[in-house]
Amino acid sequence: MNKYELTPEGKEYLENSLPEKQLVDLLKEKNSIDFDDAKQIKNFYIALQWALKNKWVRSTGKEIILLNYPEHVPEQEALEKLSKGEDVDENVIEILIQRKLIKKLVYSEADKMVGKEVTTLTPELLKSGLWKQVSFQKYDVNTPVNRIYPGKLHPYRQVMEEIREKLIGMGFVEAKGPLVELNFWNADALFMPSDHPARGVHDIYMIKDPKTGKVVDNDLWKRVEETHKTGWIMGSKGWGNWNFELAQRLVLRSQTTAVSARTLYKLKKENLPHKMFVIDRNFRPDVIDAKHLVEFDQCEGIVVGEGLNFRHLLGYLKEIAETFGAEKVRFKPSYFPFTEPSVEGVALIKGLGWVEFGGAGIFRPEVTLPLGIEVPVLAWGLGIGRLAMIRMGISDIRQLYSEDLRWLREKEVVR
Amino acid sequence: MPTITYDKNDLLNLIGNKMSDEQLEETIHLMKTNIESENESEITIELTPDRPDLFGIEGLARAVKQYLGIETGLKKYSIKPASVNIRASDISYRNHIGAAVIRNVNVNDAFIKSLMNIQDVLTDTIGRKRKKVAIGIHDLDKIVPHFSYIEVDKNEKIIPLDQESEMSLSEIIERLPKGKEYGHILSGQEKYPVFTDARGIFSFPPIINSEKTRVTENTKNLLVELTGTDKDAVSQTLNIIVTNFADRGATIEAVKIFRGEKFESTPNLSPSTIDVEFSEIEKWSGVSFHKEDVFELLKRMGYDSVENKGKITIYIPPYRNDILHPIDVIEDIIISYGFNNFTPELPSLATIGSSHPVEKTSSKFRELLVGFGYQEIIRPLMTNPRELFDRMNVKRERIIELENPVSEDYTCLRNWLLPDLMKMMSTNKHVEYPQDIFQVGDVVVHDENEETMSRTVRKAAALIAHSKTNYSEVKATVESLLKQIGMKYTFKDSNLSHMIEGRQAIVLVNNKEIGYIGEINPVVLENYGIEMPCTAFELSLDSI
């Protein structure tokens, strides 16, 4: 069975009727018409030629006179049928081909396949309908095939995204802070004394140029200074000293708690209660090995609100641990320079046993009051790198930033 | 955090109670400590820096005894009147000194070990590596009164500890390991501080003791001297040392330190006090305790306390230096009660969570780039100018550099992402192509308008490598990306040296340049040893 396709001219006549049909339609009411009037028909001479040939009209040279109005116009009907893919009489086909209103579709490739076994079902086989006349080669279902690698998020990202999702679900608002940070936010505002060991040249990266940042809020700096020197107004002994130049020094952020401090400073009373979290990069000088990197991500959060206490702190820590699959949670005393009391969470995780999953505490008054916060602030932090390593099934921390494309391609998604 | 190894038998002897390993572990775990490792004879514990009184084995044993209720409340220590004086001159850069005489010590192995342990850990932590406090412990019977703390010429000589012959003070600084390690504390001084007896120098703080006053198994009486820059730190460290000795049965004897006619007697072991409101205890802990329970809980942490006009006055033991604010005592009440005896409670604080706009945009970009079939990579932010500029065939510019890098590979922060992707590609040359990788991450640039004189900028970059990649491909990708994000964009000619001339463009959104696209310059590909055509784009997401 052959297939045909209408030419542009054929398509036009399908839509507007064949020219000779247009001519007799024009004559149908009047029976005769002037030559000049009839010329409004597009392709008038073609129309006249075929109308004469079919003996539908006669011409006087000046006028065209209707002889016989045709009830059926086989060519017109054929165009309609072909456009719908229906069969048409061979004789009419021949006329239409002659008139260049249709053309026969040739499927040279598909034609060759007729009666044979093919390896591929081609668009041509489908278009020509010849697929009915071929058979398909059967696959060995176990035949080896090429590897395909989908585009993927880094496994570490998958873990971080999962954590973000969960924290957002718990009502925490994500915060960000600068990576190059003032010592002031990274330590002083957190009540870490000027001579704290973690502030030394071996424990924190200093910026070469420029060395110092700006004091934006003089009053805030005064409050922090007073807190360090004398305990300001909160009944603390303070540290007895404070180093302004050190506070001004620009460093690479060594703890995301700097972001918590900035968030507290910006927090307005009318926006309480407030929950904030941050997942971001920090930097500390170290010798790089399977357990240590000079940069690492931390995940931490704060809950700010009237009436919060130690039991609520444990409540959040437990909730977070359970969200990440802990079966049981225990707490033990711990120490952070900026929280008191401080607690370490230990969780029983299936297949791992008891693992430390994070630290928490209530921010010291020496931290909150200078920042303008008069209600308790619960703070917690998760060992995100460690959590990610467990989820990714790796034991070398350097793999978190792996350069091995093959490994990244093959690594199954984190579930 | 200091990690200290204790002799387990010695510890149990000091506690004076038979305990199983499990009981011991359980108790130690409840005291802000972590057991790192343990065997038959030793236990290694990681301690927190706020409790230097636990660094010594005697202090740890004392805390365990209190916690278990074997011996609770404020421990009283008596001090015998001074029989030894030190005449101190004013030495501006190291003016605070403290001293004590310890009599009737029983010098056995455990004692010496503990002595060495505590000296090093205390001077490292509370002493800030000897700058703030340094300790010298001497055999009292090997020195002859009168004692002085004075400055002397750098050419004065002593036989330093563990040496056989005399050395000058400046030689000690230049040649001995301790001199090299701690000499910087005295740098710039014209003279050096020393302790002298009737026969000469016996201690060179904060560097080294003399061989002649070495503590041996025959030692019966000790002179402890401390020097430092902070009065409180010096006296608290002294208190920790002498109370530890006293717990071993030794007698503490005061030393009078004369400055002119005036003298001060050290150590001072009288407890300091702090007042805490009962209501504050409930406010922070979330538990309403009976007053009597609070007194009892405090006793088990080594405090005494009395009710005083609605408040509670708490007597702080002289070896505790970490009590700055009532909250510090409240924490001890909470520890004493036992963390796991509190019922965790989740307050009903209704808040609506949300992600940061930068992260939201980043997630959208990652989603689309993964949709293109690209593999995400995550690389460190720290790098070096060779990677950022030289290998990329671009001129060096001002970036965020570190003053104290640890290695040559990490000396600055990246200011663009493409070098990471190029390096990644160069280490994966033998992995199947096409290789399409991307990174969405932060870079940091200088910005004098900011508080931190710098700005963290989120960028997205991709590198496409296969034999037919070209400008059209990368342009189609970026157009599609920006269209999907809903941005109107234009491209204009550019002349960036890391890409091929005439096959690159700047991308503009709202007439602002946000990045570039193009074919990587073969010079760069050669620098990385890459033998596959690469195209790339990098966009700043800040204005998107």
Side-chain angles (χ1 to χ4, degrees):
Chain A
M1 185 191 70
N2 290 317
K3 287 216 164 190
Y4 302 92
E5 162 183 272
L6 273 62
T7 63
E9 197 183 350
K11 279 181 191 155
E12 192 192 325
Y13 297 155
L14 172 67
E15 206 171 304
N16 302 328
S17 300
L18 289 159
E20 62 269 30
K21 174 90 165 60
Q22 291 179 38
L23 182 63
V24 291
D25 283 344
L26 202 62
L27 282 162
K28 196 176 178 183
E29 308 278 301
K30 305 177 185 169
N31 273 320
S32 72
I33 190 171
D34 276 359
F35 244 77
D36 289 340
D37 287 345
K39 278 181 183 165
Q40 62 176 287
I41 296 170
K42 201 178 163 193
N43 299 328
F44 165 69
Y45 290 103
I46 297 174
L48 185 60
Q49 184 197 339
W50 284 99
L52 288 169
K53 196 174 175 182
N54 290 340
K55 300 203 167 58
W56 296 341
V57 299
R58 73 183 169 88
S59 166
T60 63
K62 253 185 85 179
E63 273 185 331
I64 302 162
I65 299 156
L66 182 67
L67 295 177
N68 176 24
Y69 182 83
E71 289 304 315
H72 295 286
V73 181
E75 291 91 337
Q76 189 70 48
E77 287 166 6
L79 283 179
E80 270 161 36
K81 282 185 174 173
L82 286 173
S83 75
K84 290 176 193 154
E86 291 167 19
D87 288 349
V88 174
D89 181 68
E90 286 293 324
N91 296 326
V92 185
I93 291 278
E94 231 163 89
I95 294 167
L96 290 177
I97 289 175
Q98 210 183 341
R99 290 185 67 177
K100 297 201 169 79
L101 299 185
I102 61 168
K103 67 180 184 202
K104 192 173 165 188
L105 287 172
V106 181
Y107 298 105
S108 52
E109 290 304 312
D111 278 342
K112 285 184 214 157
M113 294 299 164
V114 171
K116 292 185 184 156
E117 187 178 71
V118 299
T119 54
T120 318
L121 175 61
T122 62
E124 214 173 72
L125 280 171
L126 284 167
K127 265 193 240 170
S128 64
L130 292 173
W131 61 269
K132 292 170 187 156
Q133 299 172 48
V134 300
S135 63
F136 297 99
Q137 194 184 71
K138 289 188 166 60
Y139 270 105
D140 168 0
V141 294
N142 291 313
T143 198
V145 294
N146 288 334
R147 291 292 300 274
I148 295 175
Y149 303 104
K152 274 188 308 184
L153 290 181
H154 193 288
Y156 188 21
R157 175 82 51 211
Q158 297 172 35
V159 177
M160 286 195 277
E161 288 295 291
E162 183 187 324
I163 295 170
R164 289 179 63 235
E165 248 170 57
K166 284 180 175 166
L167 293 174
I168 290 167
M170 289 170 75
F172 285 87
V173 176
E174 188 172 25
K176 292 252 147 218
L179 294 171
V180 169
E181 185 56 286
L182 280 152
N183 245 333
F184 179 82
W185 290 109
N186 194 61
D188 297 280
L190 297 169
F191 196 54
M192 287 173 73
S194 295
D195 67 351
H196 194 280
R199 304 185 63 172
V201 68
H202 300 294
D203 294 286
I204 193 155
Y205 283 116
M206 320 264 176
I207 305 301
K208 198 178 194 175
D209 172 40
K211 295 200 180 341
T212 56
K214 295 178 188 170
V215 178
V216 174
D217 180 347
N218 253 315
D219 292 344
L220 169 68
W221 282 60
K222 274 270 165 265
R223 294 196 295 272
V224 169
E225 173 177 6
E226 222 25 64
T227 304
H228 277 250
K229 284 183 170 168
T230 67
W232 192 34
I233 52 165
M234 79 264 310
S236 167
K237 274 163 67 181
W239 297 117
N241 66 77
W242 189 62
N243 186 333
F244 170 74
E245 284 74 28
L246 185 69
Q248 259 196 318
R249 191 78 176 82
L250 286 174
V251 300
L252 288 192
R253 185 173 69 200
S254 70
Q255 47 192 2
T256 37
T257 319
V259 183
S260 298
R262 282 181 175 276
T263 302
L264 287 174
Y265 172 63
K266 280 183 284 186
L267 193 58
K268 295 191 175 71
K269 272 204 179 86
E270 58 265 32
N271 293 331
L272 293 179
H274 184 72
K275 295 183 199 137
M276 172 227 86
F277 82 100
V278 52
I279 301 177
D280 217 342
R281 200 67 64 85
N282 300 285
F283 307 83
R284 283 180 203 172
D286 211 330
V287 177
I288 297 176
D289 59 27
K291 284 188 173 168
H292 304 94
L293 287 175
V294 288
E295 50 188 283
F296 54 94
D297 293 294
Q298 281 184 332
C299 169
E300 67 177 69
I302 53 176
V303 184
V304 194
E306 196 68 60
L308 292 171
N309 61 45
F310 184 69
R311 285 175 51 211
H312 301 133
L313 182 71
L314 300 187
Y316 275 106
L317 210 48
K318 184 165 179 270
E319 173 84 356
I320 289 164
E322 285 170 356
T323 306
F324 291 103
E327 292 173 352
K328 276 184 192 166
V329 182
R330 286 180 64 83
F331 307 103
K332 47 187 264 192
S334 187
Y335 170 77
F336 305 102
F338 28 80
T339 57
E340 192 89 1
S342 305
V343 47
E344 179 80 43
V346 195
L348 184 63
I349 295 172
K350 212 173 186 175
L352 287 172
W354 289 96
V355 291
E356 284 177 14
F357 71 90
I362 303 176
F363 270 136
R364 300 186 64 97
E366 293 97 327
V367 175
T368 53
L369 284 178
L371 294 172
I373 300 293
E374 289 167 0
V375 297
V377 180
L378 312 180
W380 52 263
L382 286 180
I384 186 175
R386 195 187 151 94
L387 187 68
M389 285 169 72
I390 293 171
R391 298 295 304 277
M392 289 163 69
I394 57 172
S395 56
D396 188 329
I397 196 168
R398 287 168 292 197
Q399 238 168 323
L400 288 181
Y401 305 133
S402 177
E403 275 193 291
D404 185 347
L405 183 60
R406 191 171 280 146
W407 181 77
L408 286 172
R409 280 179 169 175
E410 308 254 340
K411 183 76 197 154
E412 60 270 32
V413 293
V414 178
R415 295 197 302 163
Chain B
M1 299 251 181
T3 302
I4 302 171
T5 300
Y6 301 88
D7 181 319
K8 213 151 86 182
N9 283 328
D10 194 29
L11 182 61
L12 289 171
N13 280 338
L14 285 163
I15 295 168
N17 221 27
K18 289 226 176 339
M19 306 175 81
S20 67
D21 280 0
E22 288 73 32
Q23 270 178 306
L24 182 63
E25 280 168 29
E26 184 77 0
T27 314
I28 286 173
H29 264 302
L30 291 172
M31 302 168 64
K32 288 199 200 183
T33 56
N34 261 329
I35 297 173
E36 291 269 303
S37 66
E38 193 182 353
N39 61 30
E40 296 229 320
S41 58
E42 287 181 335
I43 181 163
T44 300
I45 305 175
E46 186 186 48
L47 295 114
T48 60
D50 62 324
R51 291 295 303 271
D53 58 299
L54 303 180
F55 295 173
I57 191 166
E58 301 84 4
L60 181 66
R62 182 194 309 135
V64 171
K65 277 159 90 173
Q66 287 163 342
Y67 192 84
L68 293 177
I70 299 167
E71 188 183 295
T72 64
L74 187 74
K75 190 157 180 179
K76 308 277 191 314
Y77 293 94
S78 59
I79 305 179
K80 293 252 159 72
S83 67
V84 166
N85 303 336
I86 295 177
R87 185 156 292 281
S89 51
D90 289 333
I91 301 178
S92 60
Y93 52 88
R94 205 166 182 83
N95 207 28
H96 300 288
I97 66 170
V101 162
I102 313 289
R103 295 204 184 268
N104 309 319
V105 295
N106 177 15
V107 181
N108 53 34
D109 276 355
F111 176 85
I112 295 276
K113 213 185 225 170
S114 143
L115 187 66
M116 297 312 295
N117 248 343
I118 191 170
Q119 266 196 86
D120 285 348
V121 184
L122 285 175
T123 46
D124 269 4
T125 53
I126 190 171
R128 305 286 192 251
K129 299 203 189 298
R130 299 196 186 181
K131 189 173 190 301
K132 205 171 177 181
V133 184
I135 306 167
I137 299 181
H138 311 274
D139 187 331
L140 179 67
D141 301 319
K142 291 177 184 165
I143 37 180
V144 184
H146 303 277
F147 306 131
S148 301
Y149 177 59
I150 53 170
E151 276 186 300
V152 296
D153 193 275
K154 294 177 181 180
N155 294 321
E156 291 286 334
K157 290 185 173 178
I158 60 165
I159 304 175
L161 194 65
D162 295 330
Q163 300 298 314
E164 284 168 2
S165 52
E166 279 198 327
M167 291 173 82
S168 73
L169 302 182
S170 50
E171 275 177 318
I172 291 171
I173 298 258
E174 280 157 29
R175 289 178 30 208
L176 292 186
K178 295 283 181 209
K180 287 178 189 163
E181 193 176 349
Y182 301 109
H184 67 93
I185 298 171
L186 297 176
S187 77
Q189 305 306 336
E190 294 192 355
K191 292 178 160 190
Y192 288 152
V194 293
F195 283 97
T196 60
D197 72 347
R199 292 178 304 195
I201 301 168
F202 67 88
S203 181
F204 176 25
I207 313 294
I208 203 159
N209 291 345
S210 69
E211 177 63 23
K212 70 177 176 188
T213 59
R214 172 190 281 279
V215 176
T216 69
E217 64 249 32
N218 300 319
T219 301
K220 290 277 169 285
N221 304 304
L222 301 171
L223 174 73
V224 180
E225 45 85 358
L226 282 80
T227 61
T229 55
D230 181 297
K231 189 175 168 55
D232 287 346
V234 167
S235 66
Q236 281 154 357
T237 310
L238 180 62
N239 290 353
I240 290 171
I241 294 171
V242 299
T243 51
N244 279 9
F245 284 137
D247 282 4
R248 282 209 182 260
T251 312
I252 308 169
E253 188 181 298
V255 170
K256 277 185 188 168
I257 295 167
F258 279 88
R259 291 181 194 263
E261 293 303 304
K262 288 182 186 162
F263 73 87
E264 180 195 11
S265 188
T266 65
N268 177 2
L269 294 180
S270 52
S272 51
T273 61
I274 191 164
D275 286 351
V276 180
E277 305 262 1
F278 279 107
S279 61
E280 290 284 302
I281 300 172
E282 181 176 347
K283 180 188 160 193
W284 292 106
S285 68
V287 173
S288 100
F289 293 105
H290 287 292
K291 284 177 192 173
E292 288 69 27
D293 290 341
V294 172
F295 298 142
E296 193 52 39
L297 290 169
L298 282 166
K299 270 186 182 305
R300 291 165 91 94
M301 297 304 282
Y303 301 95
D304 275 353
S305 52
V306 292
E307 193 177 347
N308 181 8
K309 295 175 194 150
K311 288 183 185 177
I312 174 165
T313 296
I314 294 161
Y315 294 87
I316 303 165
Y319 48 80
R320 289 289 297 268
N321 76 331
D322 59 314
I323 308 298
L324 301 179
H325 184 276
I327 193 70
D328 295 300
V329 181
I330 294 172
E331 183 190 59
D332 272 349
I333 294 170
I334 292 173
I335 291 174
S336 186
Y337 184 66
F339 276 24
N340 294 301
N341 294 325
F342 285 85
T343 313
E345 184 189 317
L346 210 54
S348 54
L349 293 184
T351 55
I352 294 162
S354 61
S355 55
H356 192 276
V358 163
E359 292 299 345
K360 214 176 218 168
T361 308
S362 297
S363 291
K364 293 291 167 206
F365 267 84
R366 289 192 191 105
E367 195 179 304
L368 289 166
L369 289 164
V370 164
F372 287 136
Y374 297 1
Q375 169 67 48
E376 186 190 23
I377 66 161
I378 300 179
R379 298 292 299 149
L381 270 82
M382 289 173 76
T383 179
N384 61 70
R386 294 189 315 281
E387 291 291 340
L388 283 184
F389 306 114
D390 305 353
R391 287 181 95 181
M392 293 301 295
N393 193 41
V394 299
K395 266 202 206 116
R396 288 201 179 192
E397 55 182 274
R398 192 161 164 256
I399 41 166
I400 308 284
E401 284 187 271
L402 305 176
E403 188 163 276
N404 54 334
V406 196
S407 88
E408 279 195 5
D409 293 336
Y410 304 105
T411 62
C412 65
L413 292 185
R414 66 189 182 195
N415 64 337
W416 63 327
L417 297 177
L418 187 59
D420 284 351
L421 298 171
M422 293 301 301
K423 184 141 186 280
M424 180 90 184
M425 188 119 340
S426 78
T427 55
N428 289 284
K429 277 179 286 204
H430 306 297
V431 181
E432 272 169 79
Y433 287 93
Q435 292 185 17
D436 304 325
I437 54 176
F438 78 94
Q439 178 168 228
V440 178
D442 286 330
V443 307
V444 186
V445 294
H446 286 283
D447 186 341
E448 309 221 320
N449 296 319
E450 296 287 325
E451 180 186 10
T452 59
M453 307 296 280
S454 62
R455 202 154 36 84
T456 307
V457 181
R458 182 59 56 91
K459 290 197 169 192
L463 186 60
I464 303 158
H466 61 85
S467 60
K468 293 199 173 96
T469 189
N470 56 24
Y471 177 81
S472 304
E473 181 186 7
V474 71
K475 179 167 185 269
T477 308
V478 169
E479 281 191 354
S480 147
L481 199 55
L482 293 174
K483 220 174 248 169
Q484 294 291 330
I485 293 286
M487 303 306 293
K488 291 219 166 63
Y489 51 84
T490 49
F491 296 93
K492 75 169 189 196
D493 278 331
S494 63
N495 193 17
L496 300 166
S497 55
H498 67 285
M499 291 187 296
I500 301 175
E501 208 186 322
R503 305 174 80 93
Q504 51 167 293
I506 294 284
V507 187
L508 298 103
V509 164
N510 301 325
N511 290 324
K512 207 183 144 200
E513 294 186 4
I514 65 154
Y516 60 82
I517 64 170
E519 299 181 10
I520 303 292
N521 192 333
V523 173
V524 177
L525 295 178
E526 270 185 15
N527 286 345
Y528 282 95
I530 296 169
E531 292 165 346
M532 186 63 73
C534 292
T535 55
F537 66 83
E538 179 160 354
L539 308 172
S540 163
L541 305 191
D542 279 18
S543 39
I544 288 183

